[in-house]
Structure formats: C-alpha cells, structure tokens
Amino acid sequence: MEKKTNLDDYLAGLGISDSADESPIDLDTAYQSPSSPIEYNINPQEVVEQFLKGLCERVDPGLTVKVRMQENVIYADISGVHAAKMIGRDGRVLAALEVMCYTLLAKEAGRNDLRLHLDAAGFRRRHEDKLVQLAERIAQQVMKTGEPFEMDPIPASDRRIIHMTLKEMGGVTTESVGEGKDRHIIVKPA
C-alpha cells in the first residue's frame, strides 16, 4: 500500500485535485466556447456520485453509494455495515461531506443552484423525524398555552424542517430571529 503524505495524495482520483492529470472530468470539453454563455455539459449527479464512491472506497470498500436527482435536488445515500463512519459525532462528518460536495458541484459542474440531501445509514432521515416530532410537540404546547415558545439556536437546515412542518400543521406561526450561530425560531400562536 502506498504511503499518503499530504491532502493531495488522499484527494487523488476523487475529482477535486488541482492537478490536471488527475482530473476525471475533461473541463476543456465540458463547456462551450467563452464567446457564448457558459453551459456546462457535466452531469452534476455523476460528479457527486464519482466523488462519494471514490471516497467511500478509500474509507471502507464495503460501503455503497446511491445517487439520484429529482428536480433541483441531488439525493445521495451511503449504506453498508460500517456506514456510521461517514456520519461522525452529531453528523459532523456528514455535514463536512455535504460542504465538499457543494464545493465540487460549483467547481466541476458550475452549479450553485442545486440542493444536496446527503444521508448515511439513515441518520438524516431519523434526525428529520425527531425534528418533526419536536416541532409538533412545541406547536401543541403553544396552542394549549397561547404563549410563544423560543427554541434554542439550531442550524439553518434544521430550522427549515421546523418551519415547513409547522407551516403545514397550522395553528401556529414561526419566525427566525438572531444572527449567525445565535439564529433561532420563535413559535407563536396563529
């Protein structure tokens, strides 16, 4: 087994190395001439799939990756006996992988307009289910007491799930307040 000494060694063959000879996608033929508006011909689903499969092969060859695209959302699911390796504590590794995938989409496919839903071993699905249950409990409490409920700060993706759940539920309204890491939701009676 070859010894990897720096980040470029680890990223080699994943589609994100700066070395032109390691790029799996020919960027010279990926878009039209500069005189016309750039239209990328690289399939963003393939970019994400190639990156995640290459990464998973290096972490654990027993991991499998399934990627599909529906409208403007790319859904990627990592599964296998040791898929928890790709989650990390509180989903931090999964979140980092999402950031890498977004960066790769922007760099290789020229796409900033896509959303990515990355899951490993059903972690995100279970997390979303817990958020929906939490939102429903808070809504019931707010409707029962008539008092607003101020939630602790949570990430934007989690706030979105809370907002969408309570919008569909009715009887309450939601508002995000605060800045940066202090941004949180206030649930109020409708």
Side-chain angles (χ1 to χ4, degrees):
M1 181 174 199
E2 71 182 73
K3 185 176 179 184
K4 296 178 192 271
T5 58
N6 61 38
L7 184 58
D8 286 334
D9 292 339
Y10 285 98
L11 299 179
L14 293 179
I16 56 177
S17 173
D18 283 338
S19 175
D21 59 317
E22 293 178 2
S23 180
I25 298 169
D26 183 7
L27 295 178
D28 293 331
T29 60
Y31 56 89
Q32 296 176 345
S33 68
S35 62
S36 64
I38 294 176
E39 291 183 26
Y40 289 91
N41 295 324
I42 299 172
N43 182 336
Q45 178 181 340
E46 289 176 9
V47 169
V48 171
E49 186 172 18
Q50 181 176 353
F51 168 70
L52 290 175
K53 282 184 175 180
L55 182 67
C56 286
E57 268 183 28
R58 286 162 173 81
V59 172
D60 182 347
L63 297 176
T64 59
V65 176
K66 292 182 183 172
V67 180
R68 66 183 171 86
M69 188 164 172
Q70 187 175 356
E71 295 179 13
N72 278 350
V73 182
I74 297 175
Y75 295 92
D77 187 39
I78 301 170
S79 58
V81 176
H82 302 288
K85 291 179 180 180
M86 305 306 279
I87 298 170
R89 185 176 185 169
D90 299 326
R92 291 180 186 160
V93 172
L94 202 56
L97 286 175
E98 262 190 0
V99 170
M100 291 175 76
C101 285
Y102 275 118
T103 303
L104 188 62
L105 281 169
K107 179 183 174 190
E108 298 295 329
R111 300 292 299 264
N112 291 325
D113 60 329
L114 298 174
R115 287 189 46 232
L116 177 69
H117 188 275
L118 178 59
D119 198 359
F123 173 80
R124 286 276 164 87
R125 184 180 27 82
R126 289 188 306 275
H127 180 70
E128 289 174 9
D129 290 346
K130 288 178 186 177
L131 286 172
V132 167
Q133 291 172 0
L134 172 65
E136 290 171 347
R137 283 196 310 270
I138 290 171
Q140 289 171 357
Q141 177 184 337
V142 168
M143 288 188 288
K144 183 178 179 181
T145 64
E147 298 291 320
F149 184 91
E150 194 165 328
M151 297 180 69
D152 291 332
I154 56 176
S157 57
D158 291 355
R159 287 195 309 272
R160 183 177 186 279
I161 293 168
I162 300 284
H163 284 301
M164 299 298 286
T165 299
L166 296 181
K167 182 179 180 180
E168 292 175 9
M169 187 174 178
V172 294
T173 60
T174 60
E175 175 186 9
S176 287
V177 295
E179 296 293 325
K181 291 190 179 261
D182 293 327
R183 195 151 175 86
H184 60 280
I185 295 177
I186 298 176
V187 182
K188 304 174 186 176

